[in-house]
Structures are given as structure tokens and as C-alpha cells.
């Protein structure tokens, strides 16, 4: 359904696209990219979506928006799988997980936001993945700190609202 309607470009999407073009012109030289980018919010907070858009532009050319939509839809699917696995790990009954997944899939918002060329879906997926690592670590009594810190580092460079999320993770651990 989302693919047939197509992608949605917002003002932020156009900014990501422009910044991705700048990054491509600089041959992915991040130092020069950060020095030349004078956006009022530090641009390093948007590094992850800019890299994703730049790579999609390199690999898919003018079809990069559809590949971003496909990536977002894939991340939504993987997020649902990870949430299901997390619930199984903590002992939630499979019938309740099935009901939960049905309710989530029936939600119109689930397929509305992935259509937007924004960092929301990437950010949400990374947060869900981090939560899975923490839940699995507590249940197995061994947290994969290297994997968790790596993902949290990527989250930091996904959007400015990542800072409170990181504080919540570090205060919990």
C-alpha cells in the first residue's frame, strides 16, 4: 500500500538531500563536510540519515527516494520482529504477542510515517534494537556492551532528540 502511494518529501527531506549531495561532492570527506555545513543545529546530529541518503543516491541514482521507502518499510518489519522476540524473551505468552502484533499492524500510523524521507524510522529501529540488546542481556545475565555502545553511537548521530534517549539508556544500565 505504501509503495503504491509513494514517498513524501518534507522540508527536512530536502535538507537531507542537499546535505547528501554536499557529502557526495566532498567524496565523503566528513571533516570538510562538517566544517562547511553551517546549519544552526550541529549537522553531526543528522549524520546517519545524511549518510544513508548519500549512499542511496550513489547506488540508486534518481530512484533513491523509493529505495529509502523500501529501507524504511524493511526497518518497520524488522522492528516488529525485534519487539516480538523481546516479548518472547521476557516470557510474554505467544497469544498476547500475536494480539499485540495484530494491533500494531492494524494501526494506520505504522505505514504512514515510513513513507516520509525522514530519520524517524531509522531512529525508532535503532532504539528498538538497543532495547532488545538490553533485554536479552538482562535475561542472559550478559549484556553485549560493544554492540550496545556501537548502536547508541549511531543513534547519537541520527537526530538531536537522541540525547535524552541516550541518557535514559545510560541511567538504566
Amino acid at each position: 500500500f505504501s509503495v503504491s502511494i509513494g514517498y513524501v518529501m518534507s522540508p527536512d527531506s530536502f535538507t537531507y538531500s542537499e546535505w547528501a549531495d554536499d557529502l557526495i561532492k566532498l567524496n565523503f570527506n566528513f571533516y570538510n563536510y562538517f566544517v562547511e555545513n553551517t546549519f544552526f543545529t550541529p549537522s553531526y546530529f543528522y549524520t546517519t540519515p545524511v549518510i544513508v541518503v548519500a549512499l542511496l543516491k550513489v547506488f540508486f541514482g534518481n530512484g533513491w527516494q523509493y529505495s529509502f521507502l523500501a529501507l524504511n518499510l524493511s526497518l518497520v518489519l524488522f522492528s516488529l520482529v525485534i519487539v516480538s522476540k523481546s516479548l518472547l524473551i521476557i516470557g510474554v505468552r505467544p497469544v498476547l504477542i500475536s494480539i499485540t502484533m495484530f494491533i500494531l499492524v492494524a494501526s494506520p500510523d505504522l505505514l504512514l510515517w515510513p513513507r516520509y524521507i525522514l530519520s524517524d524510522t531509522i531512529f525508532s529501529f535503532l532504539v528498538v534494537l538497543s532495547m532488545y540488546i538490553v533485554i536479552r542481556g538482562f535475561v542472559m545475565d550478559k549484556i553485549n556492551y560493544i554492540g550496545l555502545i556501537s548502536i547508541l553511537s549511531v543513534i547519537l548521530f541520527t537526530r538531536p532528540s537522541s540525547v535524552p534517549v541516550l541518557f535514559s539508556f545510560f541511567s538504566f544500565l
Side-chain angles (χ1 to χ4, degrees):
F1 176 73
S2 289
V3 177
S4 66
I5 293 175
Y7 59 87
V8 177
M9 293 285 285
S10 72
D12 285 348
S13 308
F14 289 107
T15 303
Y16 295 156
S17 179
E18 289 173 22
W19 287 352
D21 290 337
D22 293 343
L23 188 59
I24 292 168
K25 288 177 193 168
L26 294 169
N27 292 321
F28 289 85
N29 182 329
F30 290 100
Y31 177 77
N32 288 339
Y33 169 74
F34 290 128
V35 168
E36 292 179 13
N37 193 329
T38 58
F39 193 62
F40 63 90
T41 301
S43 60
Y44 56 82
F45 277 123
Y46 301 99
T47 303
T48 301
V50 170
I51 290 172
V52 169
V53 170
L55 289 173
L56 293 175
K57 283 184 169 201
V58 167
F59 288 115
F60 297 100
N62 291 334
W64 72 270
Q65 292 101 333
Y66 287 105
S67 61
F68 195 95
L69 173 61
L71 173 69
N72 275 353
L73 291 173
S74 300
L75 292 177
V76 167
L77 174 66
F78 290 133
S79 294
L80 290 173
V81 170
I82 291 169
V83 167
S84 296
K85 288 187 79 165
S86 298
L87 293 173
L88 279 172
I89 287 172
I90 60 173
V92 176
R93 290 184 288 165
V95 75
L96 292 177
I97 296 172
S98 300
I99 293 168
T100 301
M101 288 302 119
F102 176 76
I103 291 169
L104 284 173
V105 171
S107 169
D109 293 333
L110 185 72
L111 295 178
L112 171 70
W113 290 109
R115 293 181 39 233
Y116 286 80
I117 310 294
L118 294 172
S119 64
D120 297 50
T121 305
I122 297 169
F123 179 75
S124 300
F125 169 76
L126 292 171
V127 170
V128 167
L129 183 59
S130 298
M131 289 177 16
Y132 171 75
I133 290 173
V134 170
I135 290 169
R136 187 169 185 250
F138 278 134
V139 169
M140 297 180 74
D141 205 24
K142 182 179 178 186
I143 295 178
N144 179 356
Y145 285 105
I146 293 173
L148 181 61
I149 290 171
S150 299
I151 293 169
L152 292 176
S153 298
V154 175
I155 288 174
L156 175 64
F157 298 111
T158 303
R159 57 190 309 154
S161 60
S162 65
V163 175
V165 171
L166 295 179
F167 277 119
S168 67
F169 269 102
F170 287 121
S171 66
F172 184 71
L173 297 175

